[in-house]
Amino acid sequence: MAKYIFITGGVVSSLGKGISGASIGKLLQLQGFKVSMLKFDPYINVDPGTMNPYQHGEVFVTIDGAESDLDLGTYERFLDVYTSKTNTNTAGDIYRTVINREREGDYDGATVQVIPHITDEIKRRFAALKDECDISIIEIGGTVGDIEGLPFMEAARQFQLENKKEDIFSIHVTLVPYITGAHELKTKPTQHSVNKLREIGISPDMIICRTEYHLDESLKRKIALFCNVRQDCVVEVMDAPSIYYIPEALYKQKVDSLVMEKLEIMSKKKFDKAWFSKIKSFSKFSKTVKVAVVGKYADLKDAYKSIDESLNIAAADLKVKAEIDYLAAEDKDLIKKLKKYDAILVPGGFGNRGIEGKIKAISYARENKIPFLGICLGMQCSVIEVSRNLAKLKNANSTEFDESTKYPVIKILDEQKNVKYRGGTMRLGNYKSEIKKNTLAHSLYKSHEIEERHRHRYEMNPEFVGALEKAGLHVTAYHKGVLPEIVEIKNHPFFIGVQFHPEFGSRLMRPHPLFKGLIAAALKNKKN
Ligand code: GLN
């Protein structure tokens, strides 16, 4: 069975198409269907791996090493599934495929054009997972009317024409703004946006309206009439205290039933509402722990989306609320500010900015026995910190920041030395590590062998392992016995650094052991 749900967006960007898609996916999964999600981003970058997080938020890494859009993370967490390279598509990657094919002479002398060659490749990718699931949810990034988005919209139009009407459900997500002066919700932007979509030849089956206030029936009727959709298919999504409330909000408006009706499919199992109740229980915790994330992008939470989610999920599992603050590593008053926190996390990152601040924060956590988790660059900074302050290797550094350092305790991976292109060339995706017994890592993972996602070019220099172990920093996991993957300090309530990215592995009902360990230690360390 191949059924498709297309999600497009209108009026403005950042309306949460990904969250709407993942929520509908969740409902259909609870109805017993196998759902997959494909993201199509109309920008020219081959993937978001080279983009500044300020532009794009976090880069989510799939287990097979794709550097992808953060929506795939939302999707993995909502549905507890794994995505792969197939789930993430960009205009850049699609054009590259077509151009490579042209260079190989596969187009047989034809003039290669947007229609049909680019649109054919997009359509091929729309159907890429059709044999692996019951329903593919296809999200087209950007906003209707964008120049770059046009080939994707055109491909979606053709795809509808070439498939049976009961196999396609089209959803348009728009904004219904509230005009304070007039005390009124306005439908005009939605009307214009749907008109634009219909000009392209796509008539939505459902309109999801992002709104600050409830839409009354008369407003829904107006949208339905002007936009040529059924009134019960005008659905509202209000801002919620947590994105995990959205599936239930959509369920109450019968979104899953409406989708199944049009797609002519019947529920495969009794709908289990346990997921909704579990989410509701999250809001009832009164106890809190305060976690400081010391990073570079302190004012953009989306840059650390999976870390944020992982901390919240772990806290909810321990029946507490995580109060997470993002502190700028460059802040002169950083150490003063850190005093009120029960735990400190230093996340991954690239480049020199803020490094010394991160190292100071780690000294503070180590000396004051504050629970600490270092992720990727955060782990590398903990190695630098211990090298300088305990092993007395003066000015020890990573060669990423000081190429001529006397003590290169972090150095470039051998396989990275001759890498010329920046995009997609890091050590990416899942790699195995073997954890030593009687270590913090072993007690958290309860396993000897683990597999975690990576995204880095540098590693802890094995030449310094001996000196650092003597100074008190122990390597407690290795990849293939050679690449250090986890470091720990004993005689500390919780001090652990990992070369990989555990944040991508957290699931709503399955918190990640490292985050759970951090929050549990934070609870013990609680200041007040
Ligand atoms: N910049 C470091 C490296 O490339 C760390 C990368 C990261 O934190 N993802 O090794």
Side-chain angles (χ1 to χ4, degrees):
M1 179 167 64
K3 303 277 178 185
Y4 302 90
I5 298 175
F6 281 87
I7 303 188
T8 54
V11 184
V12 290
S13 59
S14 306
L15 285 177
K17 291 194 292 288
I19 293 166
S20 296
S23 300
I24 293 170
K26 184 75 213 171
L27 294 181
L28 294 167
Q29 186 187 53
L30 292 171
Q31 293 286 8
F33 297 103
K34 191 154 183 253
V35 186
S36 67
M37 181 156 182
L38 293 144
K39 177 89 206 263
F40 288 80
D41 279 309
Y43 48 72
I44 307 294
N45 302 63
V46 171
D47 61 42
T50 55
M51 280 190 203
N52 186 331
Y54 272 125
Q55 300 253 325
H56 197 266
E58 152 189 293
V59 173
F60 185 81
V61 182
T62 61
I63 51 176
D64 64 345
E67 297 178 277
S68 74
D69 187 87
L70 55 76
D71 278 340
L72 291 197
T74 306
Y75 185 71
E76 287 202 2
R77 283 186 289 272
F78 267 71
L79 277 87
D80 195 357
V81 293
Y82 294 100
T83 55
S84 75
K85 289 185 173 150
T86 317
N87 298 75
T88 169
N89 300 276
T90 67
D93 189 29
I94 288 160
Y95 272 82
R96 187 167 75 167
T97 304
V98 171
I99 290 169
N100 285 346
R101 219 177 267 152
E102 184 271 336
R103 291 289 81 185
E104 281 162 22
D106 284 359
Y107 290 111
D108 230 8
T111 306
V112 180
Q113 294 178 299
V114 173
I115 305 172
H117 302 101
I118 296 294
T119 46
D120 278 354
E121 177 58 18
I122 298 173
K123 285 189 287 178
R124 187 188 68 73
R125 293 177 183 225
F126 283 164
L129 293 173
K130 73 173 189 326
D131 298 327
E132 281 150 56
C133 65
D134 302 316
I135 304 164
S136 284
I137 300 180
I138 294 164
E139 182 196 332
I140 300 178
T143 309
V144 62
D146 295 347
I147 288 179
E148 312 87 73
L150 280 174
F152 293 88
M153 299 293 178
E154 167 61 15
R157 183 195 67 77
Q158 294 174 14
F159 197 80
Q160 295 190 6
L161 195 70
E162 291 158 10
N163 283 276
K164 294 198 198 107
K165 92 176 175 335
E166 66 270 23
D167 287 346
I168 310 258
F169 194 85
S170 170
I171 299 175
H172 192 57
V173 182
T174 72
L175 178 71
V176 177
Y178 180 75
I179 306 297
T180 324
H183 299 296
E184 237 186 311
L185 287 164
K186 290 292 185 188
T187 65
K188 192 69 83 189
T190 298
Q191 295 175 36
H192 281 305
S193 182
V194 172
N195 275 346
K196 192 94 209 144
L197 197 62
R198 290 174 67 200
E199 264 170 38
I200 298 166
I202 299 172
S203 257
D205 298 297
M206 176 175 281
I207 297 176
I208 292 185
C209 305
R210 286 297 310 274
T211 169
E212 282 175 71
Y213 298 94
H214 275 297
L215 305 182
D216 61 25
E217 284 309 311
S218 71
L219 215 79
K220 285 190 181 174
R221 184 170 144 76
K222 193 168 168 188
I223 295 174
L225 286 175
F226 278 103
C227 300
N228 198 36
V229 294
R230 272 166 52 169
Q231 192 168 328
D232 54 355
C233 287
V234 179
V235 168
E236 67 178 26
V237 171
M238 305 229 305
D239 294 342
S242 153
I243 54 169
Y244 298 109
Y245 288 111
I246 308 295
E248 187 172 12
L250 296 180
Y251 178 75
K252 285 189 176 144
Q253 298 174 79
K254 304 198 166 39
V255 167
D256 47 340
S257 309
L258 292 163
V259 170
M260 289 190 292
E261 183 190 321
K262 161 96 199 295
L263 293 180
E264 297 181 3
I265 47 179
M266 305 266 280
S267 171
K268 286 188 176 179
K269 69 173 190 206
K270 193 174 167 308
F271 195 90
D272 182 1
K273 289 191 187 159
W275 201 82
F276 297 160
S277 349
K278 175 103 182 179
I279 304 294
K280 271 192 209 135
S281 73
F282 288 3
S283 62
K284 303 213 170 84
F285 312 135
S286 50
K287 210 167 174 186
T288 58
V289 284
K290 290 193 175 69
V291 185
V293 176
V294 180
K296 193 155 130 183
Y297 305 103
D299 43 0
L300 183 76
K301 218 168 111 182
D302 262 4
Y304 301 116
K305 176 104 182 131
S306 292
I307 287 182
D308 202 70
E309 291 287 327
S310 296
L311 289 168
N312 284 320
I313 290 171
D317 198 69
L318 292 164
K319 305 207 177 333
V320 291
K321 214 170 127 27
E323 272 179 26
I324 309 162
D325 287 328
Y326 291 84
L327 306 184
E330 290 171 302
D331 188 337
K332 285 193 301 307
D333 297 325
L334 177 66
I335 301 302
K336 228 192 286 161
K337 288 189 179 160
L338 281 177
K339 297 223 154 63
K340 64 174 192 197
Y341 293 94
D342 308 314
I344 296 172
L345 189 153
V346 178
F350 297 85
N352 222 336
R353 187 158 71 79
I355 291 300
E356 294 305 321
K358 289 177 192 175
I359 294 171
K360 275 196 199 116
I362 296 170
S363 294
Y364 172 79
R366 181 176 58 73
E367 286 166 1
N368 295 283
K369 305 230 182 292
I370 313 294
F372 164 76
L373 173 60
I375 294 178
C376 208
L377 181 64
M379 173 264 199
Q380 297 176 355
C381 286
S382 73
V383 172
I384 300 172
E385 195 279 325
V386 172
S387 304
R388 288 182 190 174
N389 301 326
L390 290 182
K392 302 293 174 211
L393 303 174
K394 202 165 168 242
N395 297 328
N397 215 332
S398 162
T399 53
E400 181 178 4
F401 315 123
D402 178 3
E403 261 185 272
S404 55
T405 173
K406 191 164 166 206
Y407 301 112
V409 289
I410 305 292
K411 63 159 182 107
I412 194 135
L413 283 155
D414 286 340
E415 70 201 31
Q416 290 288 325
K417 282 186 185 143
N418 298 317
V419 166
K420 192 160 134 227
Y421 293 111
R422 305 308 289 168
T425 53
M426 278 185 254
R427 182 174 183 236
L428 285 168
N430 259 12
Y431 285 93
K432 283 191 182 133
S433 324
E434 305 87 42
I435 302 181
K436 290 186 185 160
K437 290 226 172 80
N438 301 320
T439 59
L440 175 60
H442 198 274
S443 73
L444 295 169
Y445 277 99
K446 296 188 176 52
S447 166
H448 171 59
E449 196 182 81
I450 56 162
E451 233 175 322
E452 293 277 14
R453 302 178 211 194
H454 291 68
R455 183 172 183 250
H456 61 114
R457 292 188 202 282
Y458 294 80
E459 60 160 333
M460 180 176 179
N461 189 342
E463 283 172 35
F464 291 91
V465 168
L468 286 166
E469 296 248 350
K470 248 189 237 147
L473 186 78
H474 299 274
V475 179
T476 56
Y478 279 97
H479 171 68
K480 292 196 170 153
V482 280
L483 291 186
E485 292 275 4
I486 304 183
V487 293
E488 296 176 20
I489 285 183
K490 296 196 173 115
N491 303 324
H492 187 287
F494 190 98
F495 188 106
I496 190 161
V498 294
Q499 183 55 78
F500 46 80
H501 289 273
E503 69 271 27
F504 300 137
S506 291
R507 295 293 189 266
L508 198 54
M509 300 299 161
R510 229 161 16 96
H512 192 287
L514 286 172
F515 287 92
K516 203 169 156 184
L518 180 74
I519 299 288
L523 262 172
K524 278 198 198 140
N525 176 50
K526 202 167 149 47
K527 302 269 155 48
N528 45 51

